[in-house]
């Protein structure tokens, strides 16, 4: 058997391949259509109904479809090896226990050392139970068999008329008929809050467990059931079942389910007796309604007219065109004023005016149990209010440490201490403030917790090593990592180390063989059941061809496995003072039958595993750093925001990817993920132009987290996205000074950033706010996906098109002030804004109060350090409105300080009311020069210059 053939069984669930000498059936078999490499040879046959169970790819030995429904033609595909003349393939099979005439396979194609076959079984009816075994022989002998396999044929059915109403005190059950006549379905409603409800659909009437508030009423009328709270009214037509949702007045319609005379609303796929595989619901959606959210989505903000898959996936580049994402959230906000969240990690598809132009729905996999239910949460209000409710359910965003809001630097090529030392020196000499250093290529690329080239005596798999156990030879990649990290800390720069959740299997280079410590760890993890298991209870292996293919995966649902895994990494924080981890990967579980220690199977764990991974690392880092560390992650789903900062993954260095990143940041924010970043100017592909680099840097200055990163490990010339390297590579001498200005602006913004971040952590409101979220009453604003409200006060419109210098900026109704020069503009229209590469269109809304940390010259973008704890000059920049307030987060006192502003344009006065602060503050009011300034009735002294103001204890200029 060739090595290619051997990979086939290992790629799927392990099954016994039965060798048998059976009677050859009289079948019509297609002969091989190619000249065989061997004669009269058959080493094996393989078929796996589900393949890798991957959404975006199929294997050549799968069943199609994987889960047949009534009327669908079923094809079984198989392979034999080696290629040889005289081979035959067939299936023996039964339907509902009745044997069928064996059916022969037709030759499909040859590839490598394998022949591929397909067998058409035809279509089946609802309730048909089909069992089959795949056989192969060569010239009537050397028979090989695999199986048996089976499937239950399902079809869709739906609710009919309401037959009963049951008030449980904390929930209401609506009992209906079943269009197929098999079940007694129930739909349960519960109210976790007065302005929203949860629904649980139970096709066979069992498995219900929802409960909520008691403050609702039920009216069971002749033709309609009404369930009402003080803020929401649900009206359910009885014949047939159809829900309409109204505001508390009972007359203002929010939405209603789809008309069952046109197409089912609530439905489920079942065989009628043993399984329910999918449950769905559909709503009426008039033209023009927008559907936004769904996690980090790169291609658009409004998903109307598309099908959206709730499926976490490692998509290298082209995330927008492929419509795939690392971070998927089964939640949408509808512009009609409602949102839906499906609190399930199983696969779901949202069909948004695709199947029918006025219908939007969602279909959720169940796992197949007969008593399966599907729950969804229904929210009302604008997007901000709904995100507050959503994150109250799924987890409040974790506020990052304050240092995380400075500039981060990263490059894969920083794989030696000499490289890092050079970078630290360049940061220092350039005066460009940085607050974090991310090292990806630091480890041995085997254990991923020991430094590359470190020498040590391997310990047992159960043991752990300390820094004192490591020595660093002359000429190695790292000579003294502890000192290096201390050097970074001395520059007020935190250090983040890269991680991946695998026990690596294949070694070809870097290193070429697995070190003994790694082998000890692998053996121990397998013996202790610390690994995710496949359907046969053996250690699961990532499919060949995937990133880290064939590797095993630690099971973070096991406390013992998590503790063991983290014990290996404890020295990095305890002995070296590392400040966190870049938790990459985790989109690697494929297969519905995988087994996790907490009892969940692969169909749930595919999307859930990233959250288990980030939860484990975040708990570890928070405990070790006392809350001053963070993790930086790529993948996740609902709830991930309570554990990590996230970044947009592997994007190319193009303007198209730049535009996708701007959408992705807004979309993530609309889905409850406020702390987000991207690799400014891209991660891979062609080296960015100075134009792309500076445009990206200006945008990243006004994004939740600002960082640069590059892919290549040992490039010549350097691929690092540092400003000095970009300047050297492009020859554009404006890069370093312009980037320096943006980096300084970033540090100027830290008081504002941390105040807005604190609000995000408390309420779920994003820092990077899509226009539809920030201005819910403005339908025109919603169409602008390349601008956003940054925090509550600043409108940012990055230039994301190559060669563009004039941006059409849409300003919503009201007054707006240019953040750079104070120029006033009137909104409710488009303003053309000229911006060279050294700036970006940014406006402050009228009434804004923006806390800044400025230098003594009060220069926005002027030289300033990277200290986020002590401000050089706390300044509140005020853009007066008749009346406005701003809650400033004074983190040093753990207090929120309300600053109130009133202005009278007739009297030409502005009044600012501010509480006492622990830091001296300057109040900078946008407007014409005043005739005088007073505090508590006492006039302040006018000084002659900015420098005089900086040195005075009080005064005005």
């Amino acid at each position: 058997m060739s090595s290619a053939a051997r990979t086939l069984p290992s790629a799927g669930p392990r099954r016994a391949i039965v060798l048998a000498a059976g009677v050859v059936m009289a079948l019509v078999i297609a002969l091989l259509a190619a000249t065989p490499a061997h004669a009269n040879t058959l080493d094996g046959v393989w078929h796996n109904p589900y393949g890798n169970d991957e959404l975006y790819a199929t294997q050549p030995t799968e069943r199609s479809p994987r889960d047949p429904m009534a009327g669908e033609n079923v094809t079984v595909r198989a392979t034999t090896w080696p290629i040889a003349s005289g081979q035959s393939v067939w299936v023996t099979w039964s339907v509902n226990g009745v044997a069928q005439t064996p059916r022969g396979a037709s030759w499909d194609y040859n590839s490598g050392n394998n022949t591929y076959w397909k067998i058409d079984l035809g279509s089946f009816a609802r309730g048909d139970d089909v069992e089959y075994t795949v056989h192969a022989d060569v010239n009537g002998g050397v028979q090989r068999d695999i199986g048996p396999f089976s499937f239950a044929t399902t079809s869709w059915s739906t609710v009919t008329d309401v037959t009963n109403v049951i008030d449980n005190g904390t929930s209401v059950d609506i009992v209906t008929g079943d269009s197929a006549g098999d079940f007694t379905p129930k739909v349960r409603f519960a109210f976790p809050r007065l302005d929203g409800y949860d629904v649980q659909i139970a096709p066979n009437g069992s498995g219900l467990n929802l409960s909520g508030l008691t403050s609702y009423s039920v009216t069971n009328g002749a033709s309609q059931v009404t369930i009402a709270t003080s803020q929401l009214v649900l009206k359910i037509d009885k014949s047939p079942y159809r829900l309409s949702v109204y505001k508390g007045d009972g007359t203002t319609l929010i939405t209603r389910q789809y008309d069952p005379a046109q197409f089912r609303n609530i439905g489920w796929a079942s065989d009628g007796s043993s399984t329910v595989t999918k449950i769905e619901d559909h709503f009426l959606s008039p033209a023009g309604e927008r559907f936004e959210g769904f996690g980090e989505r790169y291609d658009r903000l409004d998903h109307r007219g598309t099908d959206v898959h709730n499926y976490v996936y490692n998509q290298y580049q082209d995330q927008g065109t492929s419509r795939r994402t690392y971070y998927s959230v089964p939640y949408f906000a509808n512009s009609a004023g409602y949102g839906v969240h499906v609190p399930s990690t199983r696969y779901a598809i949202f069909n948004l005016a695709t199947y029918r132009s006025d219908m939007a729905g969602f279909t959720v996999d169940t796992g197949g149990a007969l008593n399966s239910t599907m729950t969804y949460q229904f929210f009302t209000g604008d997007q901000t209010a709904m995100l507050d409710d959503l994150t109250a359910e799924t987890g409040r965003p974790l506020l990052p440490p304050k240092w995380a809001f400075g500039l981060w630097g990263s490059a894969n090529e920083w794989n030696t201490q000499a490289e890092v030392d050079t970078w630290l020196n360049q940061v220092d000499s350039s005066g460009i403030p940085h607050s974090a250093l991310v090292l990806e290529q630091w480890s041995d690329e085997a254990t991923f917790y020991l430094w590359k080239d470190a020498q040590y005596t391997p310990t047992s798999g159960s043991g752990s090593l300390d820094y004192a156990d490591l020595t660093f030879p002359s000429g190695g990649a790292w000579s003294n990592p502890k000192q290096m990290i201390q050097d970074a800390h001395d520059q007020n720069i935190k250090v983040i180390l890269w991680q991946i959740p695998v026990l690596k299997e294949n070694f070809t280079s870097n290193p070429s063989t697995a070190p003994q410590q790694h082998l000890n760890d692998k053996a121990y993890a397998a013996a202790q059941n610390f690994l995710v298991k496949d359907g046969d209870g053996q250690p699961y292996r990532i499919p060949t061809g995937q990133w880290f293919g064939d590797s095993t995966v630690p099971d973070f649902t096991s406390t013992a496995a998590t503790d063991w895994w983290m014990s290996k990494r404890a020295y990095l924080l305890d002995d070296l003072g590392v400040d966190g981890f870049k938790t990459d990967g985790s989109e690697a579980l494929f297969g519905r039958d995988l087994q996790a220690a907490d009892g969940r199977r692969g169909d749930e764990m595919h999307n859930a595993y990233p959250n288990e991974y980030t939860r484990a690392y975040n708990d570890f880092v928070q405990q070790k750093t006392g809350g001053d560390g963070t993790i930086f992650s790529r993948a996740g789903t609902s709830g991930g925001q309570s554990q990590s900062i996230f970044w947009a993954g592997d994007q190319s260095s193009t303007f198209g990817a730049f535009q996708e990143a701007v959408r992705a940041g807004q979309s993530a924010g609309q889905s409850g993920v406020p702390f987000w970043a991207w690799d400014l100017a891209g991660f891979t592909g062609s080296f960015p132009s100075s134009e792309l680099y500076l445009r990206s840097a200006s945008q990243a200055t006004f994004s939740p987290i600002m960082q640069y990163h590059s892919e290549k490990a040992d490039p010549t010339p350097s691929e690092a996205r540092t400003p000095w390297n970009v300047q050297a590579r492009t020859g554009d001498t404006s890069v370093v000074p312009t980037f320096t200005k943006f980096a300084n602006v970033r540090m100027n913004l830290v008081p504002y950033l941390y105040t807005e971040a604190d609000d995000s952590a408390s309420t779920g409101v994003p820092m990077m706010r899509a226009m539809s979220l920030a201005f819910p009453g403005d339908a025109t604003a919603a169409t602008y996906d390349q601008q956003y409200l940054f925090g509550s006060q600043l409108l940012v419109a990055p230039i994301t098109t190559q060669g563009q210098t004039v941006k059409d900026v849409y300003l919503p109704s009201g007054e707006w002030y240019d953040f750079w020069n104070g120029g006033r503009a009137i909104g409710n229209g488009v303003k053309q804004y000229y911006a060279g590469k050294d700036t970006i269109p940014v406006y402050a809304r009228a009434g804004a109060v923006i806390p800044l940390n400025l230098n003594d010259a009060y220069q926005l973008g002027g030289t300033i350090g990277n200290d986020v704890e002590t401000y050089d000059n706390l300044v509140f920049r005020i853009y007066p409105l008749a009346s406005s307030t701003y809650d400033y987060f004074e983190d040093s006192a753990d207090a929120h300080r309300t600053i109130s502003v009133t202005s009278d344009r007739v009297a030409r006065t502005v009044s600012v009311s501010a509480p006492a602060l622990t830091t001296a503050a300057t109040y900078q009011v946008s407007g014409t020069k005043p005739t005088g300034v007073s505090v508590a009735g006492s006039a302040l002294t006018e000084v002659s210059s900015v420098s005089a103001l900086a040195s005075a204890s009080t005064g005005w200029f």
Side-chain angles (χ1 to χ4, degrees), residues 407-411 414 423 427 432 434 436 438 678-682 693 706-710 720-724 739:
L407 172 64
W408 296 36
S410 177
W414 299 342
W423 179 80
V427 168
I432 299 176
H434 287 66
V438 182
W678 71 294
D679 299 334
L680 72 84
Y693 186 75
M706 182 182 186
Q707 65 110 26
Y708 57 79
H709 179 48
S710 56
R721 269 56 165 171
T722 58
W724 43 87
F739 190 93

Side-chain angles (χ1 to χ4, degrees), residues 86-387:
Q87 290 182 356
S88 302
V89 175
W90 71 98
V91 297
T92 54
W93 58 307
S94 65
V95 178
N96 301 322
V98 178
Q100 306 293 303
T101 301
R103 188 160 295 185
S106 60
W107 173 85
D108 199 8
Y109 63 95
N110 293 339
S111 179
N113 198 38
N114 292 72
T115 298
Y116 292 89
W117 309 82
K118 59 183 180 181
I119 306 135
D120 184 4
L121 294 185
S123 61
F124 302 92
R126 174 187 174 97
D128 281 348
D129 289 319
V130 180
E131 183 175 286
Y132 63 94
T133 298
V134 181
H135 310 272
D137 69 13
V138 57
N139 294 323
V142 196
Q143 183 169 319
R144 305 287 190 261
D145 312 285
I146 186 168
F149 307 95
S150 63
F151 60 87
T153 311
T154 63
S155 68
W156 289 105
S157 53
T158 184
V159 293
T160 55
D161 293 347
V162 174
T163 60
N164 196 11
V165 178
I166 304 170
D167 185 355
N168 302 306
T170 58
S171 64
V172 179
D173 292 343
I174 307 297
V175 186
T176 76
D178 172 6
S179 62
D182 296 317
F183 301 138
T184 304
K186 291 181 181 178
V187 182
R188 174 168 290 187
F189 294 88
F191 296 91
R193 58 200 165 274
L194 296 176
D195 65 346
Y197 63 89
D198 293 350
V199 181
Q200 190 174 21
I201 300 166
N204 82 339
S206 61
L208 295 165
N209 55 15
L210 274 186
S211 63
L213 303 174
T214 60
S215 48
Y216 63 84
S217 63
V218 180
T219 303
N220 188 2
S223 61
Q224 194 173 72
V225 180
T226 301
I227 311 172
T229 71
S230 59
Q231 298 182 40
L232 208 59
V233 177
L234 312 183
K235 297 181 181 181
I236 301 167
D237 294 338
K238 286 187 168 183
S239 184
Y241 173 97
R242 187 188 188 189
L243 167 70
S244 299
V245 184
Y246 295 84
K247 293 185 178 181
D249 59 13
T251 59
T252 305
L253 180 68
I254 298 174
T255 189
R256 63 173 31 136
Q257 283 179 320
Y258 204 68
D259 181 358
Q262 302 297 318
F263 192 80
R264 63 181 176 266
N265 43 57
I266 291 177
W268 55 89
S270 175
D271 65 350
S273 61
S274 65
T275 186
V276 172
T277 59
K278 303 175 187 291
I279 304 175
E280 63 184 13
D281 202 352
H282 297 101
F283 286 83
L284 180 67
S285 179
E289 283 188 351
R290 297 174 62 89
F291 294 85
E292 300 178 78
F294 299 107
E296 184 182 50
R297 302 287 171 168
Y298 303 75
D299 59 318
R300 67 196 73 200
L301 296 183
D302 177 16
H303 294 271
R304 186 179 188 86
T306 72
D307 290 334
V308 179
H309 302 280
N310 180 40
Y311 194 76
V312 169
Y313 195 74
N314 175 10
Q315 177 63 39
Y316 179 75
Q317 302 187 84
D318 302 320
Q319 294 86 3
T321 54
S322 67
R323 306 198 70 236
R324 299 173 185 177
T325 184
Y326 307 97
Y327 198 108
S328 181
V329 178
Y331 165 80
F332 67 78
N334 183 285
S335 56
Y338 75 92
V340 169
H341 175 241
V342 180
S344 170
T345 58
R346 290 190 173 98
Y347 170 73
I349 183 170
F350 294 78
N351 57 285
L352 308 171
T354 51
Y355 188 77
R356 300 178 72 92
S357 63
D358 63 346
M359 184 179 79
F362 41 95
T363 305
V364 184
D365 285 0
T366 66
L370 182 61
N371 65 345
S372 293
T373 68
M374 187 264 278
T375 297
Y376 65 87
Q377 299 161 324
F378 191 97
F379 305 95
T380 63
D382 61 26
Q383 288 194 53
T384 300
M386 291 193 291
L387 282 173

Side-chain angles (χ1 to χ4, degrees), residues 500-548:
I500 189 75
V502 301
L503 286 149
K504 186 175 174 180
E505 180 65 22
N506 298 324
F507 292 84
T508 55
S509 61
N510 191 31
S512 58
T513 58
Q516 187 60 49
Q517 185 62 58
H518 180 60
L519 298 175
N520 293 351
D521 292 346
K522 283 176 57 179
Y524 183 77
Q528 297 298 311
N529 294 318
F530 286 169
L531 305 174
V532 175
K533 296 180 180 179
D534 66 16
D536 295 323
Q538 299 300 310
Y540 162 75
R541 294 187 180 275
I542 299 170
T544 302
Q546 292 283 344
W547 196 29
F548 288 98

Side-chain angles (χ1 to χ4, degrees), residues 890-903:
E890 190 175 22
D891 59 289
S892 60
D894 194 24
H896 295 86
R897 314 294 195 187
T898 299
I899 297 171
S900 301
V901 181
T902 59
S903 68

Side-chain angles (χ1 to χ4, degrees), residues 26 68 201 231 313 391 579 629 769 911:
I201 300 166
Q231 298 182 40
Y313 195 74
T391 56
D579 302 285
R769 305 180 187 184
S911 298

